[in-house]
Amino acid sequence: MVHIANPILKNGELEGIKEVMDSGMLAQGEVVAKFEEEFADYLDVGFGKATANGTAALDVALKAIGVEEGDEVITSPFSFIASANCVLFQGAEPVFADVKKDTFNLDPEKVKEKITSDTKAILPVHLFGQPAEMNAFMDMAEDHDLYVVEDCAQAHGAEYDGKKVGSIGDIGAFSFYPTKNMTTGEGGIVVSDSEELCERADLVRDHGQSEKYTHDMLGYNLRMTNLAAAIGRAQLERLDEWNDKRRKNAEMLTAGIEKIDGLTPPAVSDSVKHVFHQYVLKVEDDHPLRREELREKLHENDIGTAVHYPKVIPDQPLYREKGYDGNEFKNARGCAEKVFSLPIHPKVSKEDIEVMLKVMEV
Ligand SMILES: Cc1ncc(COP(=O)(O)O)c(C=O)c1O
């Protein structure tokens, strides 16, 4: 079976874990500090503060910029739920703006319409590994005195205008969940060029502790372990190589899918380096098979697929209960109805792609 995700864990991960075990220092310590430094250097950003997972990284990032009750944060309705829930965690209001149907990313024009005097931040998601339109969001933020928080959970190593995502906005958050382009098991990191924001992030993730048993503010324990960081250090070494393989696989898939009527391959914007966390295509109405029939056919041929995402966030029960409604977000809803993801990770071979294309040629 070609699974939709399949992490490679045979670099220096075991040796790194063994060193941590031998040291006896399992929780956050020097290995986490080294990982933070290496990851920040990789992005060319000033600081990194590792967290227990990507959701925690987003939560910590919003607390670091001071989002609170009464504030609004504009984000995408077409993403994993954490992109919006991190706003709810602050008692603030997620405000959704529609996406572009070709790139799946936030439409700057729609975002502009949502800015009010209560807007505190714009939170673009670099969905499926494709950078959002950062220049437009940075300009808007400057005009309206807003923060830009990048949700980079799916875009390790992706670039916009030659800059790595996470290094463009005021603060960025990554996830290292095992399906991601690199993993630490569970894990995340907050990155920023602002020392002040990173110091706040550091406090939030560790009980607001500025010195041993001196607590300046309310915080949690959202720390990463040395064990997780040891895995991350080994993974980071091969991230670029894996991203190149993802891009090659995507090129091959797109060349084939373009020839199949009724299927639309994912669009790649100009001036971005897409890292294809997911390869997301659309089954159009003129395709002879419905999405679920096509997925079933692929599964019968040992090709795993997934739907990222079957529902827009405002249509989730949690949000419906709060009075949200996905009806306004026509492009996002349209994507949710048509998309599915094919395996694209570095273990996917040319032969696997040939099987996928053959199965989809109805
Ligand atoms: C866009 C996005 N944001 C945030 C997260 C949260 O990361 P984690 O699962 O590590 O908490 C994810 C994880 O799937 C994600 O895809």
Side-chain angles (χ1 to χ4, degrees):
M1 184 80 182
V2 186
H3 295 287
I4 191 78
N6 198 345
I8 299 171
L9 294 161
K10 289 197 181 120
N11 194 22
E13 287 84 353
L14 258 184
E15 290 86 333
I17 289 173
K18 188 170 179 311
E19 273 173 36
V20 172
M21 302 272 271
D22 289 344
S23 76
M25 305 293 285
L26 305 187
Q28 183 183 299
E30 269 176 29
V31 188
V32 171
K34 279 193 190 136
F35 177 54
E36 290 171 340
E37 201 184 317
E38 287 161 2
F39 197 77
D41 283 352
Y42 172 76
L43 298 183
D44 196 18
V45 70
F47 308 91
K49 296 291 169 192
T51 55
N53 52 61
T55 307
L58 279 171
D59 184 27
V60 166
L62 291 195
K63 286 193 167 66
I65 62 167
V67 174
E68 57 191 17
E69 208 182 321
D71 290 337
E72 294 175 359
V73 176
I74 305 172
T75 193
S76 173
F78 192 54
S79 183
F80 182 61
I81 193 90
S83 307
N85 280 0
C86 63
V87 183
L88 292 181
F89 297 151
Q90 321 308 320
E93 191 184 333
V95 172
F96 298 103
D98 208 356
V99 298
K100 288 191 171 171
K101 51 183 167 187
D102 56 346
T103 63
F104 310 121
N105 274 332
L106 266 180
D107 181 342
E109 287 306 314
K110 302 285 181 190
V111 170
K112 208 185 267 173
E113 290 167 14
K114 299 287 175 145
I115 296 174
T116 71
S117 55
D118 289 329
T119 309
K120 176 93 178 186
I122 303 171
L123 196 156
V125 184
H126 306 300
L127 200 71
F128 309 140
Q130 167 137 265
E133 292 178 50
M134 289 304 291
N135 283 350
F137 300 127
M138 296 309 287
D139 287 349
M140 258 177 246
E142 197 174 322
D143 291 348
H144 297 271
D145 197 18
L146 309 173
Y147 286 100
V148 176
V149 181
E150 294 180 70
D151 183 340
C152 312
Q154 305 189 356
H156 315 70
E159 290 179 17
Y160 178 85
D161 264 353
K163 285 181 116 187
K164 292 219 161 61
V165 301
S167 71
I168 307 166
D170 296 285
I171 194 161
F174 287 81
S175 160
F176 300 117
Y177 188 71
T179 56
K180 301 296 193 271
N181 292 33
M182 60 170 283
T183 186
T184 60
E186 292 276 8
I189 195 166
V190 176
V191 294
S192 178
D193 270 328
S194 157
E195 191 167 6
E196 191 190 330
L197 292 184
C198 274
E199 269 171 15
R200 276 182 67 82
D202 193 19
L203 289 178
V204 175
R205 73 168 171 180
D206 189 20
H207 289 295
Q209 190 166 230
S210 55
E211 283 173 47
K212 188 109 181 132
Y213 299 130
T214 301
H215 304 273
D216 296 352
M217 64 187 287
L218 185 63
Y220 306 97
N221 171 0
L222 297 173
R223 300 180 301 254
M224 181 183 270
T225 65
N226 272 349
L227 284 166
I231 299 174
R233 293 187 72 201
Q235 293 265 304
L236 183 58
E237 281 182 18
R238 291 186 67 189
L239 176 62
D240 283 342
E241 176 199 329
W242 292 335
N243 281 344
D244 284 347
K245 181 71 164 74
R246 283 174 183 270
R247 262 193 302 275
K248 279 204 187 93
N249 282 346
E251 253 173 49
M252 225 185 297
L253 265 171
T254 292
I257 288 170
E258 272 170 351
K259 295 185 197 133
I260 304 175
D261 288 341
L263 295 184
T264 306
V268 179
S269 310
D270 292 338
S271 64
V272 306
K273 194 169 180 183
H274 194 318
V275 292
F276 286 95
H277 167 58
Q278 299 293 352
Y279 185 93
V280 178
L281 67 155
K282 285 190 197 153
V283 184
E284 307 293 353
D285 293 340
D286 59 347
H287 192 272
L289 296 182
R290 298 299 83 231
R291 172 173 71 183
E292 288 319 308
E293 290 168 336
L294 190 54
R295 291 183 64 211
E296 192 51 46
K297 212 173 153 218
L298 285 155
H299 296 177
E300 281 163 12
N301 286 273
D302 285 339
I303 305 294
T305 69
V307 176
H308 301 104
Y309 297 90
K311 253 195 188 110
V312 298
I313 298 176
D315 281 337
Q316 291 289 349
L318 169 69
Y319 283 79
R320 276 284 173 85
E321 243 176 51
K322 294 179 185 299
Y324 287 87
D325 180 352
N327 214 13
E328 182 194 338
F329 311 105
K330 297 270 183 290
N331 287 346
R333 267 229 188 129
C335 293
E337 280 161 15
K338 290 180 177 175
V339 294
F340 79 96
S341 311
L342 286 167
I344 195 70
H345 53 79
K347 282 187 183 166
V348 172
S349 67
K350 187 166 172 272
E351 291 70 37
D352 296 332
I353 291 174
E354 282 164 2
V355 173
M356 293 180 212
L357 292 173
K358 196 153 189 283
V359 174
M360 290 191 297
E361 281 167 5
V362 184

